[in-house]
Amino acid sequence: MFIENIPALENSKSPSLEVCLTPALLSLYNVENYIVVIIDIFRATSSICYGIENGAEAIIPVAQVEECVAYREKGTGYLLAAERDGSVVDGFDFGNSPFSYTAEKVSGKTVVLTTTNGTQALHLSRKAKKVVIGSFLNLTALSNWLKVQNENILLVCAGWKNNFNLEDTAFAGAVIDQLKASGQYTLDDPAIAAYDLYQLAKGDIPAYLSKTSHGERMRKLGIEKDIAFCLNVDITTAIPILDGEKLVKLV
Amino acid sequence: MFIENIPALENSKSPSLEVCLTPALLSLYNVENYIVVIIDIFRATSSICYGIENGAEAIIPVAQVEECVAYREKGTGYLLAAERDGSVVDGFDFGNSPFSYTAEKVSGKTVVLTTTNGTQALHLSRKAKKVVIGSFLNLTALSNWLKVQNENILLVCAGWKNNFNLEDTAFAGAVIDQLKASGQYTLDDPAIAAYDLYQLAKGDIPAYLSKTSHGERMRKLGIEKDIAFCLNVDITTAIPILDGEKLVKLV
């Protein structure tokens, strides 16, 4: 572009509804002006939503396996979740499959889990007004809560190795699809794109996402069942929210 | 994502066709493995394609007005183009409207123009196998040339202030639309998204792009005519290519 110094969404009085397509672009936003929704559909934020729904007292996301191990020394109250190359890391309680986050396993417990992109997105978003977790599992509950906040909303896609991915963007579009009807928001270009992509996906989300390079990687790792589970819409109502280092239940 | 260390598009033997959605993400790609296409639809790459088509000997893109001025001291053979806030900068030959790049004005001349995002994308792409310029004006000529290169292709969107914009992404999708039919390429997720968005846009590109926040900014600047011109498809056949500091005619 030739033109400089024109702020995005200038002069708009309605709250803005924007999408940050990867954590690598998060520095372009003043996160303190937004409620941030972290999105990492395969599989971090889906597992988190499922775990909080199933009564986990808290979930603590960390970047490295080593940080996870450090919690072992803090006491016996922690369940440690870590996975590398599709297998549970030796000595950990479970891996990163959402099926590990059943009530039987996590109720009343604090789970420490390693994620990569999801953790980075969370860390970079700490100064936001609020940081909540989104997945297809809690789509409508999350959207209904967002609707009544009357705040700027930034949907942050964790992406894939700091780049754009289709599944996180499609979910951002699903949230926009629910919020847009109220007509109160100003959308930025990434939000318009996410919304449009979701219109293509919504009739059959698994089919739409199966064409991605990502889908192929998942199949090779043998976690098709996890992927299918993460695309279940509205099977939970809990909204995990960041409280210090921990994700806890907001509603 | 939980999973690490799986290279994108692994094991693919066909050339890849990828989209870098903004210059801020260019560091995620090894540009030396690609032919890079620079895309800055409103208005840099459209003006460049039109100028080269109309016989400009070369076009030199620079980031700052001051760099542009330095060429004044090198001799009288340069036309200087710079615009700020929609007006020609004092003492310059013309602004950044594509209508300034007619044969009458630029034939046989070297034009030095200031751009912001476009220049950044060019600068970051210098190590690519080749760097060429794309716009709706030369869409089919560019696509036909790309088809016979048998190389990995990276479509680099200049975007808006380092963020995603719809018009550059839609054009990337238009190129993919022409190349995809040959079936020889592996697409990454941003390429799939760009292709899908273009399917929504192709019936009426101006109408599709008019809904962006960008379109509104353009209208406020009174450059609707420029914008409309930049959405003309296939009115030129020249492909500008980077040769050192200069863009010259490849075909």
Side-chain angles (χ1 to χ4, degrees), chain B residues 65-243:
Chain B
V65 171
E66 294 68 29
E67 292 176 70
C68 212
V69 171
Y71 278 89
R72 180 69 83 208
E73 292 155 17
K74 291 186 184 179
T76 56
Y78 299 100
L79 288 172
L80 305 192
E83 189 173 299
R84 285 297 178 267
D85 301 320
S87 299
V88 178
V89 174
D90 276 353
F92 280 63
D93 299 297
F94 46 76
N96 293 328
S97 167
F99 296 111
S100 301
Y101 293 74
T102 58
E104 191 177 50
K105 291 185 180 169
V106 303
S107 181
K109 305 283 178 60
T110 291
V111 181
V112 186
L113 85 151
T114 59
T115 74
T116 49
N117 298 329
T119 304
Q120 190 188 1
L122 269 165
H123 178 72
L124 294 171
S125 301
R126 286 188 183 286
K127 290 184 178 172
K129 290 184 176 176
K130 288 172 184 164
V131 179
V132 296
I133 302 295
S135 72
F136 283 107
L137 278 60
N138 73 343
L139 169 62
T140 299
L142 172 70
S143 300
N144 287 341
W145 178 79
L146 288 170
K147 274 178 200 169
V148 296
Q149 302 305 306
N150 196 32
E151 296 277 6
N152 298 321
I153 296 165
L154 182 61
L155 305 167
V156 177
C157 299
W160 171 251
K161 292 177 172 287
N162 264 328
N163 208 339
F164 171 99
N165 79 25
L166 262 178
E167 65 272 16
D168 293 345
T169 306
F171 175 75
V175 173
I176 297 163
D177 191 52
Q178 294 219 4
L179 296 182
K180 200 171 178 266
S182 71
Q184 68 173 305
Y185 297 99
T186 306
L187 274 58
D188 68 349
D189 272 21
I192 294 169
Y195 174 81
D196 283 350
L197 290 169
Y198 178 66
Q199 300 312 308
L200 298 173
K202 69 194 289 188
D204 188 342
I205 296 166
Y208 184 75
L209 295 177
S210 70
K211 69 180 175 175
T212 67
S213 55
H214 217 133
E216 195 165 335
R217 282 192 289 267
M218 297 294 150
R219 281 189 291 277
K220 284 182 185 164
L221 286 161
I223 56 173
E224 298 97 324
K225 278 188 195 170
D226 287 5
I227 299 310
F229 183 81
C230 292
L231 299 178
N232 279 308
V233 177
D234 290 340
I235 62 167
T236 69
T237 59
I239 301 173
I241 187 166
L242 192 64
D243 178 12

Side-chain angles (χ1 to χ4, degrees), chain A residues 56-98:
Chain A
E57 190 175 294
I59 296 183
I60 304 174
V62 299
Q64 305 293 335
V65 171
E66 294 70 27
E67 292 176 69
C68 213
V69 172
Y71 278 89
R72 181 69 81 208
E73 293 154 19
K74 291 188 185 180
T76 55
Y78 299 99
L79 288 172
L80 307 191
E83 188 172 302
R84 286 297 177 267
D85 302 321
S87 298
V88 178
V89 175
D90 276 354
F92 279 63
D93 299 295
F94 45 78
N96 293 328
S97 167

Side-chain angles (χ1 to χ4, degrees), chain A residues 101-134:
Chain A
Y101 293 74
T102 57
E104 191 176 53
K105 291 185 180 169
V106 303
S107 182
K109 306 283 177 61
T110 292
V111 182
V112 185
L113 83 151
T114 59
T115 75
T116 49
N117 297 328
T119 303
Q120 190 188 0
L122 269 166
H123 178 72
L124 294 171
S125 302
R126 286 188 183 283
K127 290 185 178 172
K129 289 184 176 177
K130 288 173 184 164
V131 179
V132 296
I133 301 295

Side-chain angles (χ1 to χ4, degrees), chain A residues 9-68:
Chain A
L9 307 183
E10 55 176 344
N11 301 328
S12 73
K13 281 165 190 163
S14 54
S16 69
L17 180 48
E18 301 178 59
V19 175
C20 176
L21 294 170
T22 102
L25 299 177
L26 203 44
S27 63
L28 301 176
Y29 300 84
N30 294 319
V31 291
E32 56 265 43
N33 296 334
Y34 300 88
I35 290 178
V36 163
V37 179
I38 303 290
I39 302 164
D40 191 0
I41 295 301
F42 297 153
R43 300 170 281 168
T45 62
S46 301
S47 293
I48 291 164
C49 289
Y50 196 51
I52 293 292
E53 178 82 10
N54 286 331
E57 190 175 294
I59 296 183
I60 304 174
V62 299
Q64 305 293 335
V65 171
E66 294 70 27
E67 292 176 69
C68 213

